[in-house]
Amino acid sequence: LKPAVCFAGFLTSILISCFIFYAVYIENESDVADFWYFLGGGALVGIFVGLLMCWAIRVGAAVLAGWGGLCGGLILYEAFIFHAGVEWLFWVTIVVCAVGAAVAAFFLLDQVVIISTVIVGSYSLIRGVACYAGHYYNEVTMAKLVSEGLLDDIDPWYWAYVGGFFVSLAIGMLVQCRSFKKEKAEKEGKKHPYLAQQT
């Protein structure tokens, strides 16, 4: 859990630094080279934020769950919700899923972390393949296609990526749940040596 939480804090710091850069330089392309300062600063701060989140594990888990909720919201929109044909639902779906997952992590830590990491991993796998193979639409582009009524022009291979995400999600959930049950059983066996001997 701690390495995943540390990475989530690191990634969040970099993302925030990039948002700040684009907000400052969105109309001033002459200073685009300053991006590397923002990226380096975000990475440096991210190291400390990641370590801090390992210390405050529930807060870190909430951030990690938020990332999982964000990725889940993106896929939900791309798979089903886009049929509504309303562009603002794209942002509402992402925000609601991210915040909902982050809040749930405070109450169901293990379960939410498992689900979030599987979603983030599956989404990253699909996007990674798409970077080389192509035929996958950016989420913002997808929202624009919906708003312009161009759903019939969507590449059929795009739906193969969406299907691949759900297959990867199912496999990841199966592996992580089995691993979690095994780890939990081992911990209970250590707490109760007599039960461990019986098994």
Side-chain angles (χ1 to χ4, degrees):
L1 177 60
K2 287 186 176 180
V5 166
C6 184
F7 181 70
F10 177 76
L11 192 63
T12 302
S13 296
I14 290 179
L15 183 66
I16 290 172
S17 69
C18 289
F19 277 143
I20 293 172
F21 169 78
Y22 287 118
V24 172
Y25 292 101
I26 193 168
E27 295 181 356
N28 190 2
E29 296 182 1
S30 62
D31 295 322
V32 172
D34 291 347
F35 169 77
W36 299 108
Y37 295 109
F38 280 83
L39 183 64
L44 186 62
V45 172
I47 293 172
F48 294 102
V49 170
L51 293 174
L52 182 64
M53 287 187 176
C54 286
W55 176 70
I57 195 69
R58 284 202 175 268
V59 175
V63 173
L64 176 60
W67 277 105
L70 186 144
C71 294
L74 290 173
I75 291 296
L76 277 176
Y77 179 83
E78 293 175 347
F80 309 108
I81 300 175
F82 77 92
H83 287 292
V86 183
E87 188 175 2
W88 58 265
L89 270 178
F90 171 72
W91 300 107
V92 171
T93 303
I94 291 173
V95 172
V96 169
C97 288
V99 172
V103 171
F106 283 99
F107 303 100
L108 301 167
L109 179 65
D110 293 325
Q111 293 84 348
V112 172
V113 167
I114 287 173
I115 294 169
S116 299
T117 52
V118 171
I119 290 175
V120 171
S122 300
Y123 181 77
S124 299
L125 175 64
I126 296 302
R127 289 307 302 265
V129 171
C131 285
Y132 292 96
H135 303 282
Y136 189 87
Y137 295 102
N138 180 289
E139 286 74 20
V140 177
T141 302
M142 187 69 176
K144 288 181 179 178
L145 288 172
V146 169
S147 66
E148 295 171 4
L150 299 175
L151 295 179
D152 293 335
D153 297 332
I154 294 175
D155 191 330
W157 281 103
Y158 169 81
W159 301 113
Y161 283 113
V162 174
F165 167 81
F166 286 106
V167 170
S168 176
L169 186 68
I171 294 172
M173 285 290 294
L174 178 64
V175 170
Q176 284 220 39
C177 286
R178 289 184 66 180
S179 177
F180 176 68
K181 286 181 180 178
K182 184 179 179 181
E183 185 179 335
K184 191 175 180 181
E186 287 176 355
K187 286 181 179 179
E188 289 176 354
K190 288 179 181 178
K191 290 180 181 178
H192 305 285
Y194 177 75
L195 293 175
Q197 290 176 2
Q198 292 294 316
T199 56

